[in-house]
Amino acid sequence: GAVVSQHPSWVICKSGTSVKIECRSLDFQATTMFWYRQFPKQSLMLMATSNEGSKATYEQGVEKDKFLINHASLTLSTLTVTSAHPEDSSFYICSASVGGSPRNQPQHFGDGTRLSIL
Amino acid sequence: AQTVTQSQPEMSVQEAETVTLSCTYDTSENNYYLFWYKQPPSRQMILVIRQEAYKQQNATENRFSVNFQKAAKSFSLKISDSQLGDTAMYFCAFMKHGNAGNMLTFGGGTRLMVKP
C-alpha cells in the first residue's frame, strides 16, 4: 500500500530555533500534500494544502511566515516552523494524495511529528 | 462549507460488546464520500471504513459497519465484538466528490475506551 514517511517523529528544541519536518511519499507521486496540527485529545486541524511546484494555500488563522511550506517535488513536502516558541509545541501530521476519486484512501497519512519547544 | 459533528467526546464499552459512535454532517452537496478513521495511542491515522453517498447499501468491514442515513445526514459507526485494540480516537470525515486533492473535513472525534 501507499506509504508516507514523516521525519522526524519527535523533536525537542530551544525557543527561537527553526524546525523542519519532512513528508515523503515513498511509492507514489503525491499531487497534493496536507499539513495538520493536532492538540491533545482534539481533532486534526488543517493548516495548509500544498500542490507540487506552487505556493501552499493556508487556512485562516495560520501564519504563513511562521509555518513555511515547500512542496518542491511530487514526493516531498516540508514544513518549517520558524523561530519556534513553546506555544508551537504540538503534534504535526502530514498526508499525501494523488487526487481524483479515492479508490482506496483519499489521503495517506504520515506517522506524525511531536514537536516540543522548551 | 461542510461541517462534521461528533456529539460524543468519550465513550466506553465492555470487551466483546457492541458500541455505536455517532456522526452528523451538514452539506449542500449531493455526491460525496464519508469515512471513519481510527487513531490509536500510537497516533497513526488508520482508515476504518468508507461510504459513497450514492450507494444506499451500508458499508461493512469485518466487525465495523455503518448506518448511513443520507436524508438525515447521519453516518454512525457500529463496532461489534469490541476488542481491547479498538481503544482509540475515532474521527468521522467528509469529502466532496470531485474534490481536487481529496480534502477531508474532520469531526471533533470520539475517544473510545474498551474495558476488559
Side-chain angles (χ1 to χ4, degrees):
Chain A
V3 177
V4 172
S5 173
Q6 186 172 343
H7 179 80
S9 58
W10 192 12
V11 58
I12 303 173
C13 60
K14 293 181 179 180
S15 182
T17 59
S18 293
V19 179
K20 179 183 285 188
I21 303 170
E22 291 189 350
C23 182
R24 294 180 184 272
S25 56
L26 298 184
D27 53 359
F28 67 100
Q29 292 186 324
T31 52
T32 305
M33 287 189 172
F34 302 88
W35 287 95
Y36 298 89
R37 183 173 182 177
Q38 186 180 30
F39 291 105
K41 298 185 180 182
Q42 293 189 23
S43 188
L44 281 68
M45 180 188 77
L46 180 65
M47 299 175 67
T49 304
S50 73
N51 293 294
E52 183 264 339
S54 60
K55 289 184 179 180
T57 301
Y58 290 81
E59 295 298 302
Q60 190 173 8
V62 178
E63 298 177 61
K64 300 178 183 180
D65 295 334
K66 162 67 82 173
F67 300 100
L68 300 179
I69 292 172
N70 182 281
H71 192 164
S73 77
L74 283 171
T75 60
L76 174 64
S77 177
T78 60
L79 168 66
T80 301
V81 184
T82 61
S83 186
H85 291 285
E87 59 266 27
D88 299 322
S89 298
S90 190
F91 190 69
Y92 293 86
I93 304 174
C94 75
S95 71
S97 79
V98 295
S101 298
R103 287 176 291 281
N104 293 314
Q105 301 191 50
Q107 295 181 20
H108 303 276
F109 289 87
D111 288 343
T113 297
R114 185 180 303 278
L115 175 62
S116 298
I117 309 298
L118 303 178
Chain B
Q2 285 69 229
T3 59
V4 179
T5 302
Q6 294 178 247
S7 59
Q8 306 149 315
E10 294 188 2
M11 293 191 73
S12 64
V13 62
Q14 290 296 132
E15 195 175 7
E17 297 290 307
T18 295
V19 64
T20 299
L21 308 183
S22 300
C23 173
T24 58
Y25 58 94
D26 188 24
T27 184
S28 58
E29 303 289 330
N30 190 49
N31 294 324
Y32 50 87
Y33 300 86
L34 295 163
F35 306 88
W36 277 98
Y37 282 88
K38 170 185 178 181
Q39 189 182 40
S42 65
R43 305 194 80 166
Q44 287 179 299
M45 290 291 287
I46 302 166
L47 178 63
V48 175
I49 199 165
R50 62 189 286 259
Q51 174 82 41
E52 292 93 336
Y54 65 86
K55 290 187 177 179
Q56 292 185 341
Q57 186 173 7
N58 289 323
T60 299
E61 289 287 343
N62 301 313
R63 297 182 297 107
F64 298 88
S65 62
V66 298
N67 183 2
F68 173 49
Q69 300 291 325
K70 190 173 183 180
K73 296 180 182 176
S74 171
F75 183 61
S76 61
L77 174 69
K78 185 172 81 171
I79 305 175
S80 303
D81 185 25
S82 297
Q83 301 176 359
L84 297 178
D86 295 333
T87 293
M89 281 286 287
Y90 286 83
F91 297 102
C92 179
F94 173 101
M95 190 185 83
K96 285 194 309 182
H97 176 74
N99 179 305
N102 295 345
M103 182 175 290
L104 292 166
T105 301
F106 287 96
T110 296
R111 178 175 297 277
L112 177 67
M113 173 79 72
V114 180
K115 299 179 179 179

